[in-house]
Amino acid sequence: MGTDHSKRKMFIYVTAFSAAMAGLLFGYDTGVISGAILFIRDQFQLTAASQEFVVSAVLLGAMFGAAFSGSMADGLGRKGSVIVTAIMFSVGALGSALAPNVLSIAACRFLIGLAIGVASYVAPLYISEIAPASMRGGLVSLNQLMITLGIVVSYVVDYLLSMGANEWRWMFGLGILPGIALLLAMIFLPQSPRWLLIRGKIERARVILVKIYGEAEVDVAMTEISRTVTSDKGRWGDLAKPWVMPALGVGVIMMFFQQMTGINTIIYYAPTIFEFAGFQSHSVSILATIGVGMVNVLMTVVAIWLIDRVGRKPLLYWGMAGMALSLTVLGIAFNAEALSPNLKFIAVGSVVLYIASFAVSLGPICWLIISEIYPLNVRGRAMSIATLSNWAFNLVVASTFLTLIQKLGKAGTFWLYAGLCIAGLLYTRFFVPETKGLSLENIESYLRAGKPIGRLGR
Ligand code: BGC
């Protein structure tokens, strides 16, 4: 019994961990550009506009990828979709490493973006459909852990390679390693049993469910999942049903708060913020940024440990309160710039508190919640919409940050983000469900009954 239990746990961890490699690619490929662009700019003599074009190619690709893949995740399946992204990641990495000119770099980065757009929700979706309810939060958040790890690895690779000349090709090209690893791993992983059940492949689903729940509990699990399996394959129009709309709204609005509270101004511009705060050397700023990335990784580990124990909502409250506090202090420090010889240290301290607070809350939980609250037959489609909005809000923040700083000042900009954290906290209090410990099927039945989503789990 004991060894059987450990074998099952091992199967679940290995499966979740392998699929989460998609997160590593997400993090690496979004982070790597910050260093690579400096070399590309010099080699091809790029104007500011063409640099923006190269940098934003990934974000645009991710928006398209998320927008047009909802039917693929439901039709081709979760496993098949991750395999497609692994191929795109690998081809994109190789292509961008060998690219002869700027246009082909941008085209390959767009292809990588397409892969990121799909992988950013299909990997959490796949993991959440494999995971038993009591472990789901932590397992799905492994994907976020790998995103944060990918970001740090990309910073370190950029830093090390920036000592040589013209190493941007290697910076891009190294992405092929996790791409191929993901492809090989996925070939051996099982299909999502829930997806198999909607396709009517009952025997194949059972074999996988035995590996997860064991012979003794498999029938209970099958019966429970079958409750939400309808003969209806799911259409885009189903998203407009009155009991699905509130869940769709929660997904999109959570993504609004995840992005509009400024996370990627820190991820993409941390060195710039540290330079504003008075650090003079580039390399010290970059090292400080690597430190910030590590705090992001470590606090995501803490989140994984807490998420199924204390639940999603308490972490969201504490996290957003910490983000609001740190942004307020950062704003005050910049406002009193002339008075504050310690600005540097206050800036680093605030950024660390901010990232730690994000990492235990909005970082993992938004991706987790969208993998939990949608009905099985349109889960892929609904997640693709929430994910599309994530990338669209990301683009809005990334392209307005420097202008906001000019118009509102540094303090005003950080206070604006702080205000949005408070709004997010209030929104969570009234509208976000607590999904801790509930099976996906119980969540679906609750919503189908037309009950208010914000009261789920209270
Ligand atoms: C967000 C990304 C962000 C990353 C930082 C993710 O959950 O979606 O936009 O860069 O966390 O850790």
Side-chain angles (χ1 to χ4, degrees):
M1 177 68 190
T3 55
D4 185 43
H5 181 72
S6 342
K7 252 169 82 185
R8 278 189 272 127
K9 273 207 150 162
M10 186 55 109
F11 171 79
I12 296 167
Y13 279 122
V14 169
T15 308
F17 198 77
S18 313
M21 206 112 66
L24 188 83
L25 280 149
F26 169 163
Y28 184 82
D29 278 317
T30 47
V32 72
I33 192 71
S34 60
I37 192 69
L38 305 176
F39 293 96
I40 297 175
R41 179 188 67 194
D42 294 347
Q43 181 171 341
F44 297 102
Q45 313 271 305
L46 297 189
T47 59
S50 29
Q51 284 178 60
E52 272 173 18
F53 174 62
V54 174
V55 173
S56 50
V58 156
L59 295 183
L60 283 176
M63 280 174 57
F64 276 92
F68 294 111
S69 60
S71 333
M72 171 165 98
D74 287 332
L76 184 63
R78 311 0 180 164
K79 170 175 163 161
S81 304
V82 181
I83 291 184
V84 171
T85 67
I87 297 173
M88 285 158 61
F89 274 123
S90 309
V91 172
L94 192 65
S96 49
L98 301 176
N101 52 39
V102 179
L103 203 61
S104 41
I105 298 178
C108 292
R109 294 286 297 164
F110 183 79
L111 177 68
I112 291 181
L114 288 176
I116 296 180
V118 182
S120 52
Y121 74 92
V122 181
L125 164 60
Y126 174 78
I127 301 173
S128 98
E129 291 188 343
I130 294 274
S134 61
M135 302 162 72
R136 192 178 59 236
L139 289 173
V140 173
S141 303
L142 276 178
N143 192 58
Q144 173 71 15
L145 179 65
M146 297 295 263
I147 297 176
T148 59
L149 202 64
I151 294 175
V152 176
V153 171
S154 78
Y155 288 163
V156 174
V157 165
D158 279 2
Y159 180 67
L160 295 177
L161 288 176
S162 64
M163 321 240 175
N166 241 341
E167 301 289 21
W168 61 269
R169 294 185 186 278
W170 278 104
M171 294 175 183
F172 287 151
L174 284 174
I176 201 169
L177 298 178
I180 290 181
L182 176 66
L183 178 63
L184 294 179
M186 283 311 294
I187 291 175
F188 294 102
L189 293 189
Q191 296 274 10
S192 152
R194 287 176 164 87
W195 180 79
L196 285 173
L197 280 175
I198 10 175
R199 302 270 124 186
K201 308 208 165 114
I202 298 173
E203 267 321 299
R204 282 176 58 197
R206 191 173 197 287
V207 172
I208 299 161
L209 287 168
V210 168
K211 294 192 184 157
I212 301 170
Y213 294 94
E215 274 295 349
E217 283 174 42
V218 68
D219 290 324
V220 179
M222 289 276 282
T223 318
E224 168 149 45
I225 298 172
S226 304
R227 269 201 291 138
T228 54
V229 174
T230 53
S231 52
D232 159 16
K233 290 261 169 10
R235 281 173 302 275
W236 283 102
D238 293 342
L239 297 180
K241 288 188 175 153
W243 65 277
V244 183
M245 284 297 272
L248 201 60
V250 167
V252 171
I253 295 171
M254 288 304 285
M255 290 311 187
F256 170 87
F257 286 118
Q258 191 201 53
Q259 293 298 319
M260 300 303 259
T261 46
I263 180 61
N264 287 313
T265 63
I266 304 292
I267 297 287
Y268 304 157
Y269 294 104
T272 315
I273 295 175
F274 290 141
E275 280 169 22
F276 285 155
F279 282 97
Q280 313 228 302
S281 119
H282 273 358
S283 56
V284 171
S285 294
I286 295 178
L287 282 178
T289 305
I290 295 180
V292 167
M294 287 183 165
V295 173
N296 195 12
V297 176
L298 291 178
M299 290 308 286
T300 308
V301 175
V302 174
I304 289 181
W305 188 72
L306 288 174
I307 226 159
D308 290 314
R309 290 182 170 82
V310 305
R312 289 59 164 151
K313 286 178 79 161
L315 288 180
L316 285 171
Y317 295 145
W318 284 106
M320 281 191 267
M323 289 167 70
L325 177 70
S326 52
L327 288 165
T328 309
V329 172
L330 194 61
I332 294 174
F334 274 118
N335 221 13
E337 216 163 338
L339 310 174
S340 168
N342 294 328
L343 181 57
K344 281 193 222 173
F345 303 104
I346 299 175
V348 174
S350 313
V351 168
V352 167
L353 174 63
Y354 172 85
I355 204 97
S357 310
F358 173 85
V360 292
S361 60
L362 288 174
I365 296 177
C366 295
W367 294 111
L368 171 61
I369 284 193
I370 67 162
S371 77
E372 302 181 313
I373 57 176
Y374 298 122
L376 178 58
N377 65 343
V378 283
R379 197 168 283 153
R381 288 170 170 86
M383 286 185 78
S384 93
I385 293 188
T387 306
L388 165 65
S389 53
N390 179 285
W391 289 104
F393 295 133
N394 185 332
L395 194 64
V396 170
V397 175
S399 52
T400 53
F401 175 59
L402 294 176
T403 321
L404 274 182
I405 295 237
Q406 274 170 4
K407 296 251 152 55
L408 302 181
K410 292 167 203 141
T413 304
F414 292 121
W415 288 339
L416 175 67
Y417 296 147
L420 285 164
C421 293
I422 304 288
L425 220 158
L426 292 173
Y427 178 78
T428 302
R429 169 74 183 78
F430 296 105
F431 298 104
V432 175
E434 177 56 82
T435 48
K436 177 185 119 178
L438 298 175
S439 71
L440 297 178
E441 290 66 34
N442 278 341
I443 298 173
E444 182 164 340
S445 308
Y446 175 94
L447 295 178
R448 260 180 200 280
K451 298 185 192 158
I453 188 163
R455 301 192 66 88
L456 172 63
R458 275 216 210 150

